[in-house]
Structure formats: C-alpha cells, structure tokens
Amino acid sequence: MNAPTARAAHALLALAVGVTLLSGCGGRATTHHKPGTSHQEATGGNGTLLAAKDSTGHRLREVPAAGAPGVRAELRPDSEGGWNVHLLVERFRFTPESTGGAALLGRGHARLLLDGRETARAYGPWAHVPAGARTLTVRLYADDHTAWAVAGRPVEATVRLADAAADATGTASAATPPAPPATPAGRTLTVTVSGDSVQPPPSRVELKKGERLTLRVTSDRADTLHVHGYDRELPLPAGTPATLTFTVDRTGLFEVETHESGLVLTQLVVR
C-alpha cells in the first residue's frame, strides 16, 4: 500500500471510530453521574455535600439561606378520604425528567412523610396522602436525592393534620379529643391587618424561653400567618379572628409575617 492510500485508510478509520462514539452516547450530554460516582457525589457544582443525613437516610446538601429553595403545604380534605396536598414552592421547580441526575440548585422533587415515615414522592405541586396520621412533613430534594438544607437543617414544612381537620370542619378531629379550655397564662399579642397596614405597628417583643405565646390576628383578606424558626402556620380567614398558641422554646430573633401579602406583623426576641 503506497503512502497516499495508507493515509486515506487511516482517515476513514478515525471517522468510523468518531461515529461509533457519538452513537454510543446518543450525541447529547447527560446529567446522570459517571460510572463509579454515586448520585450524591454528582454535585452539579451546587451546594456543599454534608456528612449528616436526614431522617430518611439521605445526605444533606447545604446552600446559603439567600436564594435557597422554600416550601409550604396547604391541605384540602378529599371527598373520598385523606388529604389533597398543595405544595407551594419558592425558588424551586419540579424536574421529574432529570431525577437521578446531578444536583442543580432550585430543581428536584419533594418527599412526603407522615408521622416521620416517608409515604410518597411528589414530582409536581399536588399530591395525596391518606387520613390517620398526626403530622405531614414535606421535604425538598435535589435530582441526585440529596436533601436541600440551610444551616444544617433540611428545607421542609410540617403541618399538623389534626389542626387542618379542625380548620376544615369547625370541630376537633375525631382522632383527637377536644382540648380543655386554656388557662390564662403567658403573653397574648393582638394584631389587625387592613390592606398594607398593621396595627399596632410592627415592633420587637421580648419573651423568655419556655413562655407561652398567643397570637390573635384579624386580617381583612384571606392569608396565612407564618412564624419563622418555629415552622408554625395559621390560616387567616378574611374578617375573622384566628388564634395560634405555642411555647417559645428556641432562643433568637424570629419574624412573624403573612405569606400572601408579605407583611411583617412583629418580631419575637426569645432569651
């Protein structure tokens, strides 16, 4: 074989190998991890993979609070039993098409836990859970199944199903006996929301750790009250006073705000 013929043969061989490689990978990039690399190590360059794990055994992926995803859950009773769960997410979108791939900030799926035990995954904003449990926790995960976390804690929201049943029916849940009348103790804060006006004007309230606090809020429009740091929420029906009582058992500075209107009602300073 002369030199020109040999060079042509080598060129054809290189072209054939290139075509074979392209066809083997489908000609497109993939978010799935490389062989020998776990899902959890496929970071996608987002967050810090921690050694700590959540209650389901998945490692935490730490991200800064600024820009971190968020979630809250609204419950509606289903006519055939159980609850329809509406997942309201912030800085996050559901990506069922890339589950199992690398972790990309603001993407992934949710897992639903009843009384701390995983019940289902959610790849969209709606899910259904059966009746009979006491609490529902919704937790956000990356595509590689690591749990998004801020300050070492998973990004999640927890709802007491007994409270939701009482809000839906006007009576206590059948599984929970009526609570005895509360004794007048602790601190009571009464707040009225009218449009963008909050009365009394927002200020800092000093509390002692272990003190009981009652928030009594009347809003001129339907909204949701949220106590940051305690993951406590309270539906606010339009024009009707709503009351939330809990024990301030964590020290620090915590904001109390409304979800829809985004108004700060007060700040709790617990020492």
Side-chain angles (χ1 to χ4, degrees), residues 51-84:
K53 298 181 179 180
D54 71 356
S55 60
T56 64
H58 294 83
R59 292 178 67 177
L60 304 183
R61 185 175 296 282
E62 178 84 19
V63 293
V71 62
R72 60 191 178 93
E74 291 182 352
L75 300 181
R76 301 180 185 179
D78 191 289
S79 59
E80 294 188 352
W83 299 92
N84 293 317

Side-chain angles (χ1 to χ4, degrees), residues 11-21:
L12 288 174
L13 177 60
L15 177 60
V17 171
V19 170
T20 301
L21 291 176

Side-chain angles (χ1 to χ4, degrees), residues 112-172:
L112 280 61
L113 294 79
L114 291 176
D115 293 338
R117 299 184 62 180
E118 183 178 340
T119 301
R121 295 185 195 177
Y123 295 97
W126 286 94
H128 179 270
V129 295
R134 291 172 296 175
T135 61
L136 166 68
T137 297
V138 178
R139 188 175 296 160
L140 296 184
Y141 290 79
D143 284 329
D144 69 344
H145 302 289
T146 52
W148 292 115
V150 173
R153 300 182 60 187
V155 174
E156 62 183 30
T158 298
V159 181
R160 282 177 48 86
L161 298 180
D163 292 344
D167 293 337
T169 64
T171 60

Side-chain angles (χ1 to χ4, degrees), residues 38-104:
S38 72
H39 289 295
Q40 295 175 344
E41 291 169 337
T43 64
N46 287 283
T48 302
L49 188 61
L50 305 182
K53 298 181 179 180
D54 71 356
S55 60
T56 64
H58 294 83
R59 292 178 67 177
L60 304 183
R61 185 175 296 282
E62 178 84 19
V63 293
V71 62
R72 60 191 178 93
E74 291 182 352
L75 300 181
R76 301 180 185 179
D78 191 289
S79 59
E80 294 188 352
W83 299 92
N84 293 317
V85 186
H86 188 194
L87 307 181
L88 303 170
V89 295
E90 298 176 345
R91 299 174 296 279
F92 185 85
R93 68 185 181 93
F94 295 96
T95 53
E97 70 281 359
S98 58
T99 299
L104 300 178

